[in-house]
């Protein structure tokens, strides 16, 4: 089974990035174990949606955008959907790439605390990611990701165990949903950093890269469940660790590590730094890769990962991230647009997924079961609520 694990790990690595780490840190610091239930719902929703995307990728042997484009017969509807998808993914990932590289830089600064080197860290990380993407094929990237995710997972889980958490408190927070005062937006943010629209496109394309036969459907299913569940475990470990950190002014994961240092020594700081570095690097690789897959499908490029246009797309997204961070540019307007676009994109993609995965002409005997459709519709309703909240937040009405 371990040899067969692959695309699911990349999806887990993509959503457990610096944004998720920061939100889990803030949720734990402000509300203790009370919001673990929101992470649990997010993980279940991610498994359901990613499972559908992976199944579509294997059965059709096409990218998600390719399938949607073929099934939407009305030209203007097709063009609107493709424009929303392309805009949300390309602009959104370019904006968020700065945060991904920033997270990796933050971890690196703690491991090598040399003030003179700090200005060069974003460029060094960018060059390393560029080389990995330019010279690696899918199999090499997959092995790198398995190693980085294992390193990240072990680091954060050790941190959480060092705090000697309350098992009864964790179980209560997981299975007894509560909304403490001023926690609603934190819940929305926790779900929003876990159920990520671009991962649906990434997953379908990566499944197609790795597997060719419908006899592998069971392997795809378990790869998705195991990998995303482990990613969820890492997110919960971060939240649990943060709830024990005796520090009130907490803005990111390294503040949490500094809070734990008096109790557990320098090792807490190093484990957190290594985890954050691994999380930043993995997300900084997957975001450009997802953008390139979407652009490739939208414009009908061939040649896969070695196509020059494919490479140019991910290189552009990566360069945006390095520039935003190196020159301390705050792309607030771009990020706000990305939040609105992703808020619209998630329910749209969830509905399109449900529609496609129930079409006999596309999926044959591998269509959704009744239970999968019920769960899918519940997630669509939640995605619409989430999208509306994120749009209202950006528009300044909350």
């Amino acid at each position: 089974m371990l040899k067969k694990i692959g695309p699911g790990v990349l999806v887990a690595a993509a959503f457990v990035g610096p944004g998720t780490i920061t939100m889990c840190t803030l949720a734990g610091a402000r509300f203790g174990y009370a919001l673990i239930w929101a992470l649990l719902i997010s993980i279940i929703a991610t498994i359901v949606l990613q499972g559908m995307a992976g199944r579509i990728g294997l059965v059709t042997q096409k990218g998600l955008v390719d399938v949607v484009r073929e099934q939407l017969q009305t030209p203007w509807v097709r063009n609107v959907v493709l424009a929303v998808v392309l805009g949300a993914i390309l602009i959104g990932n370019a904006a968020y790439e700065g945060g991904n590289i920033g997270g990796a830089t933050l971890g690196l600064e703690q491991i090598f605390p040399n003030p003179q080197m700090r200005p060069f860290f974003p460029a060094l990380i960018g060059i390393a990611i560029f080389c990995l993407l330019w010279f690696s094929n899918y199999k090499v990237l997959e092995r790198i990701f398995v190693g980085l995710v294992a390193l990240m997972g072990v680091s954060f889980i050790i941190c959480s165990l060092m705090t000697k958490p309350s098992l009864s408190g964790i179980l209560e927070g997981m299975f007894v949903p509560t909304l403490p005062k001023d926690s609603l937006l934190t819940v929305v943010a926790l779900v929003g950093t876990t159920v990520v629209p671009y991962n649906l496109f990434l997953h379908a394309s990566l499944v197609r890269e790795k597997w060719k036969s419908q006899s592998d459907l069971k392997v795809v299913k378990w790869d998705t469940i195991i990998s995303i569940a482990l990613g969820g475990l890492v997110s919960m470990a971060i939240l649990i660790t943060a709830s024990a950190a005796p520090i009130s002014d907490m803005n990111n994961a390294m503040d949490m590590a500094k809070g734990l240092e008096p109790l557990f020594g320098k090792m807490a700081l190093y484990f957190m730094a290594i985890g954050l570095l691994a999380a930043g690097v993995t997300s900084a690789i997957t975001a450009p890769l997802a953008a390139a897959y979407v652009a490739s499908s939208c414009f009908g490029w061939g040649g896969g990962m070695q196509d020059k246009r494919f490479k140019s797309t991910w290189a552009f997204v990566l360069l945006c991230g390095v520039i935003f961070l190196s020159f301390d540019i705050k792309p607030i307007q771009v990020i706000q647009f990305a939040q609105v676009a992703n808020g619209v994109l998630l329910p749209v993609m969830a509905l399109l997924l449900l529609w496609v995965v129930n079409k006999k002409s596309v999926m044959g005997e591998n269509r959704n079961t009744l239970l999968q459709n019920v769960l899918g519709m519940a997630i669509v309703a939640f995605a619409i609520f989430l999208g509306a909240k994120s749009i209202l937040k950006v528009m300044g009405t909350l």
Side-chain angles (χ1 to χ4, degrees), residues 125-138 140-141 144-145 148 281-282 284-285 289 305-306 311 314 318:
I125 290 166
I127 290 166
I129 291 167
F130 181 90
C131 292
L132 282 173
L133 284 169
W134 189 270
F135 296 109
S136 301
N137 59 24
Y138 170 72
V140 174
L141 279 178
I144 291 166
F145 267 81
L148 284 171
V281 169
T282 52
I285 293 172
L289 206 54
M305 288 180 68
Q306 300 310 314
K311 288 184 172 183
W314 63 248
L318 178 59

Short mmCIF file of all heavy atoms in Angstrom, two decimals, residues 125-138 140-141 144-145 148 281-282 284-285 289 305-306 311 314 318:
data_model
loop_
_atom_site.label_atom_id
_atom_site.label_comp_id
_atom_site.label_asym_id
_atom_site.label_seq_id
_atom_site.Cartn_x
_atom_site.Cartn_y
_atom_site.Cartn_z
N ILE A 125 14.82 29.63 -1.63
CA ILE A 125 13.72 28.66 -1.64
C ILE A 125 13.08 28.61 -3.02
O ILE A 125 12.77 27.54 -3.54
CB ILE A 125 12.68 29.02 -0.55
CG1 ILE A 125 13.28 28.76 0.84
CG2 ILE A 125 11.40 28.19 -0.71
CD1 ILE A 125 12.51 29.39 1.97
N GLY A 126 12.90 29.79 -3.64
CA GLY A 126 12.33 29.85 -4.99
C GLY A 126 13.17 29.10 -6.00
O GLY A 126 12.65 28.36 -6.84
N ILE A 127 14.50 29.27 -5.92
CA ILE A 127 15.42 28.58 -6.85
C ILE A 127 15.35 27.06 -6.63
O ILE A 127 15.32 26.28 -7.60
CB ILE A 127 16.86 29.09 -6.66
CG1 ILE A 127 16.97 30.54 -7.16
CG2 ILE A 127 17.87 28.20 -7.39
CD1 ILE A 127 18.24 31.26 -6.73
N ALA A 128 15.31 26.64 -5.37
CA ALA A 128 15.23 25.20 -5.07
C ALA A 128 13.95 24.60 -5.63
O ALA A 128 13.97 23.51 -6.24
CB ALA A 128 15.30 24.99 -3.55
N ILE A 129 12.82 25.31 -5.47
CA ILE A 129 11.53 24.82 -5.98
C ILE A 129 11.54 24.79 -7.51
O ILE A 129 11.05 23.85 -8.12
CB ILE A 129 10.37 25.68 -5.43
CG1 ILE A 129 10.22 25.45 -3.93
CG2 ILE A 129 9.06 25.36 -6.14
CD1 ILE A 129 9.35 26.46 -3.23
N PHE A 130 12.12 25.84 -8.11
CA PHE A 130 12.22 25.89 -9.57
C PHE A 130 12.98 24.68 -10.11
O PHE A 130 12.54 24.02 -11.07
CB PHE A 130 12.92 27.18 -10.00
CG PHE A 130 13.05 27.35 -11.49
CD1 PHE A 130 12.06 27.98 -12.22
CD2 PHE A 130 14.16 26.84 -12.17
CE1 PHE A 130 12.17 28.12 -13.60
CE2 PHE A 130 14.28 26.97 -13.55
CZ PHE A 130 13.28 27.61 -14.26
N CYS A 131 14.11 24.37 -9.49
CA CYS A 131 14.92 23.22 -9.93
C CYS A 131 14.17 21.91 -9.78
O CYS A 131 14.22 21.04 -10.66
CB CYS A 131 16.24 23.18 -9.15
SG CYS A 131 17.35 24.55 -9.54
N LEU A 132 13.46 21.77 -8.64
CA LEU A 132 12.68 20.53 -8.42
C LEU A 132 11.62 20.35 -9.50
O LEU A 132 11.45 19.25 -10.04
CB LEU A 132 12.00 20.58 -7.04
CG LEU A 132 12.88 20.27 -5.83
CD1 LEU A 132 12.10 20.54 -4.55
CD2 LEU A 132 13.35 18.82 -5.85
N LEU A 133 10.91 21.44 -9.82
CA LEU A 133 9.84 21.35 -10.81
C LEU A 133 10.38 21.21 -12.23
O LEU A 133 9.81 20.48 -13.05
CB LEU A 133 8.93 22.58 -10.72
CG LEU A 133 7.95 22.62 -9.54
CD1 LEU A 133 7.31 23.99 -9.40
CD2 LEU A 133 6.88 21.56 -9.69
N TRP A 134 11.47 21.89 -12.53
CA TRP A 134 11.99 21.90 -13.90
C TRP A 134 12.62 20.56 -14.27
O TRP A 134 12.40 20.03 -15.36
CB TRP A 134 13.01 23.01 -14.07
CG TRP A 134 13.43 23.20 -15.50
CD1 TRP A 134 14.46 22.59 -16.16
CD2 TRP A 134 12.79 24.05 -16.47
NE1 TRP A 134 14.52 23.01 -17.46
CE2 TRP A 134 13.50 23.91 -17.68
CE3 TRP A 134 11.70 24.92 -16.42
CZ2 TRP A 134 13.16 24.60 -18.84
CZ3 TRP A 134 11.36 25.61 -17.57
CH2 TRP A 134 12.07 25.45 -18.76
N PHE A 135 13.39 19.99 -13.33
CA PHE A 135 14.17 18.79 -13.66
C PHE A 135 13.52 17.48 -13.23
O PHE A 135 14.01 16.40 -13.57
CB PHE A 135 15.57 18.88 -13.05
CG PHE A 135 16.39 20.01 -13.61
CD1 PHE A 135 16.67 21.13 -12.84
CD2 PHE A 135 16.86 19.97 -14.92
CE1 PHE A 135 17.42 22.18 -13.36
CE2 PHE A 135 17.59 21.01 -15.45
CZ PHE A 135 17.88 22.12 -14.67
N SER A 136 12.41 17.56 -12.48
CA SER A 136 11.81 16.33 -11.94
C SER A 136 10.60 15.91 -12.76
O SER A 136 9.85 16.75 -13.26
CB SER A 136 11.38 16.54 -10.49
OG SER A 136 12.48 16.90 -9.70
N ASN A 137 10.39 14.59 -12.86
CA ASN A 137 9.13 14.09 -13.41
C ASN A 137 8.18 13.80 -12.25
O ASN A 137 8.52 14.02 -11.08
CB ASN A 137 9.36 12.83 -14.27
CG ASN A 137 10.03 11.71 -13.49
OD1 ASN A 137 9.94 11.65 -12.25
ND2 ASN A 137 10.71 10.84 -14.19
N TYR A 138 6.99 13.29 -12.58
CA TYR A 138 5.99 13.08 -11.52
C TYR A 138 6.48 12.13 -10.43
O TYR A 138 6.31 12.38 -9.24
CB TYR A 138 4.67 12.55 -12.12
CG TYR A 138 3.73 12.10 -11.03
CD1 TYR A 138 3.09 13.03 -10.22
CD2 TYR A 138 3.54 10.75 -10.75
CE1 TYR A 138 2.28 12.64 -9.18
CE2 TYR A 138 2.73 10.35 -9.72
CZ TYR A 138 2.10 11.28 -8.94
OH TYR A 138 1.31 10.88 -7.90
N VAL A 140 9.49 11.40 -9.34
CA VAL A 140 10.48 12.01 -8.45
C VAL A 140 9.81 12.97 -7.48
O VAL A 140 10.07 12.95 -6.27
CB VAL A 140 11.56 12.76 -9.29
CG1 VAL A 140 12.53 13.52 -8.38
CG2 VAL A 140 12.33 11.77 -10.16
N LEU A 141 8.91 13.82 -8.01
CA LEU A 141 8.18 14.76 -7.15
C LEU A 141 7.39 14.02 -6.07
O LEU A 141 7.35 14.45 -4.92
CB LEU A 141 7.22 15.61 -7.99
CG LEU A 141 7.82 16.81 -8.74
CD1 LEU A 141 6.74 17.49 -9.55
CD2 LEU A 141 8.46 17.79 -7.77
N ILE A 144 9.66 12.94 -3.28
CA ILE A 144 10.06 14.10 -2.49
C ILE A 144 8.94 14.50 -1.54
O ILE A 144 9.16 14.78 -0.35
CB ILE A 144 10.44 15.29 -3.41
CG1 ILE A 144 11.75 14.97 -4.16
CG2 ILE A 144 10.59 16.58 -2.62
CD1 ILE A 144 12.04 15.90 -5.32
N PHE A 145 7.70 14.50 -2.06
CA PHE A 145 6.56 14.90 -1.26
C PHE A 145 6.30 13.92 -0.11
O PHE A 145 5.98 14.33 1.00
CB PHE A 145 5.30 15.00 -2.13
CG PHE A 145 5.08 16.38 -2.64
CD1 PHE A 145 5.77 16.83 -3.75
CD2 PHE A 145 4.22 17.24 -2.02
CE1 PHE A 145 5.60 18.10 -4.24
CE2 PHE A 145 4.04 18.53 -2.48
CZ PHE A 145 4.72 18.97 -3.60
N LEU A 148 8.80 14.82 2.53
CA LEU A 148 8.53 16.10 3.18
C LEU A 148 7.29 16.03 4.08
O LEU A 148 7.28 16.58 5.18
CB LEU A 148 8.34 17.20 2.13
CG LEU A 148 9.61 17.73 1.46
CD1 LEU A 148 9.25 18.65 0.30
CD2 LEU A 148 10.49 18.47 2.45
N VAL A 281 7.36 24.50 1.74
CA VAL A 281 7.94 24.01 0.49
C VAL A 281 6.93 23.17 -0.29
O VAL A 281 6.77 23.34 -1.51
CB VAL A 281 9.23 23.18 0.76
CG1 VAL A 281 9.69 22.45 -0.50
CG2 VAL A 281 10.34 24.11 1.26
N THR A 282 6.22 22.27 0.39
CA THR A 282 5.26 21.41 -0.31
C THR A 282 4.13 22.24 -0.94
O THR A 282 3.75 22.01 -2.09
CB THR A 282 4.66 20.34 0.63
OG1 THR A 282 4.14 20.97 1.80
CG2 THR A 282 5.69 19.30 1.02
N ALA A 284 4.30 25.40 -1.72
CA ALA A 284 4.89 26.26 -2.75
C ALA A 284 5.16 25.50 -4.04
O ALA A 284 5.31 26.11 -5.09
CB ALA A 284 6.19 26.89 -2.23
N ILE A 285 5.24 24.17 -3.97
CA ILE A 285 5.38 23.35 -5.18
C ILE A 285 4.02 23.04 -5.79
O ILE A 285 3.83 23.14 -7.00
CB ILE A 285 6.13 22.03 -4.87
CG1 ILE A 285 7.58 22.31 -4.48
CG2 ILE A 285 6.11 21.09 -6.08
CD1 ILE A 285 8.34 21.09 -3.98
N LEU A 289 2.00 24.06 -9.61
CA LEU A 289 1.71 22.85 -10.39
C LEU A 289 0.21 22.79 -10.73
O LEU A 289 -0.17 22.50 -11.87
CB LEU A 289 2.11 21.62 -9.57
CG LEU A 289 2.49 20.34 -10.31
CD1 LEU A 289 3.58 20.60 -11.33
CD2 LEU A 289 2.94 19.27 -9.31
N MET A 305 3.80 17.49 -18.24
CA MET A 305 4.65 18.33 -17.40
C MET A 305 5.87 18.89 -18.12
O MET A 305 6.49 19.84 -17.65
CB MET A 305 5.12 17.54 -16.16
CG MET A 305 4.02 17.28 -15.15
SD MET A 305 4.62 16.33 -13.73
CE MET A 305 5.71 17.52 -12.95
N GLN A 306 6.24 18.29 -19.25
CA GLN A 306 7.43 18.74 -19.97
C GLN A 306 7.12 19.80 -21.03
O GLN A 306 8.03 20.34 -21.66
CB GLN A 306 8.12 17.53 -20.64
CG GLN A 306 8.57 16.45 -19.65
CD GLN A 306 9.37 17.00 -18.49
OE1 GLN A 306 10.29 17.80 -18.67
NE2 GLN A 306 9.02 16.58 -17.27
N LYS A 311 5.44 24.59 -18.22
CA LYS A 311 6.54 25.04 -17.36
C LYS A 311 6.51 26.56 -17.17
O LYS A 311 6.79 27.07 -16.09
CB LYS A 311 7.88 24.61 -17.96
CG LYS A 311 8.15 23.12 -17.85
CD LYS A 311 9.53 22.75 -18.37
CE LYS A 311 9.86 21.30 -18.07
NZ LYS A 311 11.23 20.93 -18.51
N TRP A 314 3.77 27.50 -14.40
CA TRP A 314 4.17 27.34 -13.00
C TRP A 314 5.33 28.26 -12.63
O TRP A 314 5.43 28.72 -11.49
CB TRP A 314 4.42 25.88 -12.62
CG TRP A 314 5.53 25.11 -13.28
CD1 TRP A 314 5.39 24.05 -14.14
CD2 TRP A 314 6.95 25.27 -13.10
NE1 TRP A 314 6.63 23.57 -14.52
CE2 TRP A 314 7.59 24.30 -13.89
CE3 TRP A 314 7.73 26.17 -12.36
CZ2 TRP A 314 8.99 24.18 -13.97
CZ3 TRP A 314 9.12 26.06 -12.44
CH2 TRP A 314 9.73 25.07 -13.22
N LEU A 318 5.35 30.88 -9.46
CA LEU A 318 6.46 30.82 -8.51
C LEU A 318 7.18 32.16 -8.41
O LEU A 318 7.49 32.65 -7.32
CB LEU A 318 7.43 29.72 -8.93
CG LEU A 318 8.69 29.51 -8.09
CD1 LEU A 318 8.34 29.18 -6.65
CD2 LEU A 318 9.56 28.41 -8.69
#
